[in-house]
Amino acid sequence: MKSKRQVFTVGQVNRYAKRLLEADALLAGIFIEGEITNFNAHSSGHMYFSMKDAASAISAVMFASHTETLAFTPKNGMKVIAFGRISLYEKTGQYQLYVEYLEPAGVGGLHLAFAQLCEKLQAEGLFDEGRKRAIPAYARCVAVITSPSGAAVHDIIKTARGRNPSIQLVVVPALVQGESAAADIARAIREVNEWGGADVIILGRGGGSTEDLWAFNEEVTARAVAASGIPIISAVGHETDFTVTDFAADARAATPTAAAQMAVYSYEGAYSLLKRMADDLHHTVRESIVTRHARAKGLLQSLTRLMQTRFAHEQHGLAHRAAVLDKVSPYAAFARGFAFTKNEANQAVTHAKSLKKGDSLTLYWADGAVRAKITEVKI
């Protein structure tokens, strides 16, 4: 007698296979190394790709909830190490790797993320020297964004107070390490800008590993630094440490101590400079007074000589004109015995022929006049 067959639907088979795959402890959390192919970043934030080696390939998907934590951008041909679980996509009956974590193979993921972010922000112009502002030479208030319990804040305060006891320091607490540090640093930068009371910001922390300093290599931190309306000095780690915020900031200091020296002017130095400027000004004014006095004295002497010469010339001219006037003056003629004569019509007599016997005349001299009658006319 023929046994009865048990027939399954495709869906039942796929669900059974899926349960088998997900029940396997090894496949529930597995690391796989391979080369990315057929990479597709969907607008939803999900990433679809395949991983292959010389002999095989496996489909993979990384959902948006996990891609948000990626510190680099996957690309075709890139060798990676993926961690995730193997399961089956029932709709196609294809098993695939559901990736939860992805890092480059061979090259450190953080190093690659650093290089990719620098390349991206450089292309956008965030690192251009032309957009960076000068650090104020004489800041009155310095905001320090860092951990309030770290060694960096103590170094900054000690150095700043030593250079200028009157400087106003405002410490703005922020996380400088860990998953939430980047967002917290960006928050602190925004708050200082909203307050608006600081002339310059020091952003930094002490030294540490690449992972410890990674908050300063996050895109959110770099963009917050670049968007700040207040000049920022980046002072992260030691002299050999470089972060993305170093390139986005208006200035980089090798250490937090160096940042304090850059942001806070030296009181003694400023006093010496002002004294030197005052001495120079006093010397310049004194020299100017001496020079101007000598110049004024010379001008006065020249003016005096010019006036004397002009006076002598005018005096000579007056004497000449006086002599000429004397020659034509009627008084000169009077002095020589001449008289001015008028007839009865009170007209000047200029010719003897205009007169006749019996005419009355008036003769004028400098000291008086006489009346006369003509008794004889001789022509």
Side-chain angles (χ1 to χ4, degrees), residues 2-9 12-13 16:
K2 196 171 183 180
S3 61
K4 186 179 179 179
R5 295 181 300 175
Q6 184 177 4
V7 180
F8 297 93
T9 65
Q12 289 174 324
V13 173
Y16 180 72

Side-chain angles (χ1 to χ4, degrees), residues 58-278:
I58 184 173
S59 296
V61 59
M62 191 172 191
F63 294 126
S65 58
H66 296 299
T67 61
E68 291 176 351
T69 63
L70 277 178
F72 72 102
T73 302
K75 296 180 181 179
N76 284 326
M78 184 181 292
K79 289 187 177 181
V80 295
I81 296 176
F83 173 80
R85 58 186 176 84
I86 301 293
S87 187
L88 185 135
Y89 184 47
E90 296 182 42
K91 187 174 181 179
T92 62
Q94 182 181 25
Y95 81 92
Q96 59 185 5
L97 174 64
Y98 290 81
V99 181
E100 298 177 7
Y101 171 79
L102 194 66
E103 70 175 26
V107 178
L110 295 181
H111 175 75
L112 179 62
F114 175 85
Q116 287 184 338
L117 182 57
C118 284
E119 182 180 353
K120 176 182 178 180
L121 299 182
Q122 178 69 49
E124 293 183 21
L126 262 68
F127 298 163
D128 291 351
E129 290 298 323
R131 57 158 292 277
K132 298 186 178 185
R133 293 148 302 181
I135 304 303
Y138 298 99
R140 292 173 298 177
C141 178
V142 178
V144 183
I145 299 177
T146 188
S147 169
S149 60
V153 70
H154 297 293
D155 291 342
I156 292 172
I157 292 174
K158 180 180 178 181
T159 303
R161 295 295 185 207
R163 290 176 62 81
N164 185 356
S166 64
I167 190 70
Q168 182 182 3
L169 293 175
V170 178
V171 178
V172 183
L175 297 173
V176 294
Q177 186 173 331
E179 293 183 3
S180 303
D184 201 44
I185 292 170
R187 181 269 313 160
I189 293 173
R190 288 193 299 269
E191 287 184 356
V192 174
N193 276 269
E194 290 170 1
W195 171 51
D199 299 306
V200 63
I201 296 172
I202 295 177
L203 172 63
R205 57 155 289 161
S209 65
T210 300
E211 290 78 5
D212 293 338
L213 304 180
W214 194 251
F216 298 90
N217 287 321
E218 295 280 4
E219 185 171 352
V220 65
T221 310
R223 292 195 180 279
V225 168
S228 174
I230 301 172
I232 293 182
I233 301 173
S234 177
V236 181
H238 300 301
E239 187 172 356
T240 56
D241 295 318
F242 282 89
T243 63
V244 177
T245 55
D246 290 337
F247 305 122
D250 298 286
R252 174 189 181 266
T255 62
T257 297
Q261 293 173 339
M262 187 183 300
V264 180
Y265 68 91
S266 168
Y267 179 85
E268 292 183 359
Y271 176 80
S272 298
L273 176 61
L274 288 174
K275 187 177 184 304
R276 186 165 60 253
M277 292 174 64

Side-chain angles (χ1 to χ4, degrees), residues 299-327:
L299 288 173
L300 181 60
Q301 291 174 346
S302 298
L303 181 60
T304 301
R305 287 194 297 269
L306 180 62
M307 290 178 64
Q308 289 172 343
T309 301
R310 182 66 178 268
F311 180 77
H313 176 73
E314 293 296 334
Q315 189 176 39
H316 177 73
L318 285 173
H320 174 71
R321 285 190 287 273
V324 172
L325 287 174
D326 283 343
K327 291 180 181 180

